Amino acid sequence: MKPIITLSTDFGTKDPYVGAIKGVLLSAIPDASIIDLTHELDVFKPCNALPFLKDTITWFPEDSFHLVIVDPGVGSDRIPLQIHSPFGWIFLPDNGLPALMNEWFPNLSFRRIPYLEGQPEKERSPTFQGRDLFARALIQQAKAKKGTHLGTPLYPDALTRSFDPTPSGMCRIWNVDHFGNILLGCHVSSPPERILLPDAPMIIPYVRFYQDVPVGNLGILINSSGWLEIFQREGSAQKLWNLQKGDRIRILLEGGEYKSL
């Protein structure tokens, strides 16, 4: 089976960065299947990537490889990491996101990865470690014998914590999707009996299906990934309510089980 490699970055698509990383990967693993999950993660805000990763990489097979680069501390003494998970190997810096992942994803183990022995100094750029450190560590792990791990173990207690949790009774908007749906940082494991949004411009019913409200009306439901989602049927909830990613709104849930960002 061809190695599966996913890329999730804040690089955008108009600059050479993604192409350079792919060149390094394919030069070493020509038969790799490289999948661009996104290059539009929030710039300089690594923890904001958590919901996106939860909705994507967790669907991949256990022998996959995931490069996750949002690295405002590039070139600093922050720790480069390899995470082993039930859905593959993840390569990323210790920037607050790994600690958050440890709270949301099961059965993770962490290792500190070094620069590769014998790697020329000219290939150790302090400003592009996605290419020169993390991609090359991924290559080494992909070529290693089964059961072999890079680097040295790192306990989760040693991970950097930089995420500002949302106060009780509030909910953070983590995304506004292509359709204008407002995705809330509240993940539901057992449906509540009732959901109230005190700051909404109108009464928003809690429903199960988009079709449960008339065309043009707002509703809130649990989406296919378990997040609470405010939608306008066949329209844009974001335009109707004028909320933005990162905003916080008041929310009241009665019953059920859920976890908030």
Side-chain angles (χ1 to χ4, degrees):
M1 181 177 176
K2 295 181 179 180
I4 296 173
I5 300 173
T6 77
L7 305 180
S8 302
T9 78
D10 63 349
F11 292 164
T13 55
K14 69 177 183 178
D15 296 312
Y17 311 125
V18 175
I21 286 179
K22 287 184 177 181
V24 168
L25 293 171
L26 290 172
S27 293
I29 315 174
D31 62 341
S33 177
I34 300 179
I35 301 170
D36 296 284
L37 296 183
T38 185
H39 298 294
E40 304 298 336
L41 294 175
D42 290 348
V43 175
F44 306 138
K45 296 179 180 179
C47 290
N48 288 9
L50 185 281
F52 179 87
L53 296 177
K54 183 171 176 57
D55 287 0
T56 53
I57 65 173
T58 55
W59 292 96
F60 279 79
E62 63 180 357
D63 55 353
S64 302
F65 301 90
H66 309 285
L67 199 62
V68 181
I69 306 298
V70 180
D71 195 8
V74 61
S76 70
D77 59 358
R78 55 93 181 95
I79 300 173
L81 293 174
Q82 176 195 75
I83 304 175
H84 189 232
S85 76
F87 35 88
W89 299 93
I90 309 164
F91 299 82
L92 75 174
D94 179 28
N95 50 19
L97 178 57
L100 194 59
M101 292 172 68
N102 192 52
E103 297 176 10
W104 283 78
F105 298 162
N107 303 319
L108 302 184
S109 61
F110 301 84
R111 301 182 75 87
R112 180 174 187 154
I113 54 176
Y115 270 108
L116 306 185
E117 292 185 10
Q119 184 177 348
E121 191 65 33
K122 67 179 182 179
E123 296 179 3
R124 297 189 181 194
S125 168
T127 64
F128 197 2
Q129 292 180 324
R131 178 195 65 194
D132 293 346
L133 173 56
F134 294 101
R136 295 178 192 277
L138 185 156
I139 291 166
Q140 187 174 15
Q141 184 62 59
K143 291 185 171 184
K145 293 181 180 179
K146 191 171 183 179
T148 301
H149 306 282
L150 294 183
T152 55
L154 190 74
Y155 290 105
D157 289 347
L159 296 172
T160 298
R161 283 163 173 76
S162 61
F163 187 69
D164 179 24
T166 303
S168 177
M170 302 290 290
C171 199
R172 185 194 312 260
I173 296 171
W174 72 264
N175 194 27
V176 176
D177 72 11
H178 170 74
F179 300 99
N181 299 320
I182 299 168
L183 302 175
L184 304 179
C186 183
H187 194 268
V188 177
S189 53
S190 176
E193 298 175 4
R194 192 179 182 202
I195 300 176
L196 299 175
L197 298 166
D199 299 326
M202 61 193 73
I203 295 175
I204 299 181
Y206 168 41
V207 298
R208 187 177 179 188
F209 304 106
Y210 296 119
Q211 292 80 7
D212 287 341
V213 301
V215 172
N217 283 29
L218 291 175
I220 184 169
L221 49 64
I222 302 168
N223 74 8
S224 61
S225 297
W227 301 102
L228 289 183
E229 176 183 308
I230 301 170
F231 69 95
Q232 180 188 24
R233 183 175 173 190
E234 299 180 26
S236 170
Q238 189 272 334
K239 290 181 180 178
L240 194 62
W241 195 347
N242 195 31
L243 293 173
Q244 307 295 328
K245 182 190 294 189
D247 288 348
R248 295 176 178 182
I249 61 173
R250 289 192 296 157
I251 187 168
L252 302 173
L253 285 81
E254 297 180 1
E257 296 181 5
Y258 56 92
K259 186 174 183 177
S260 296
L261 283 170

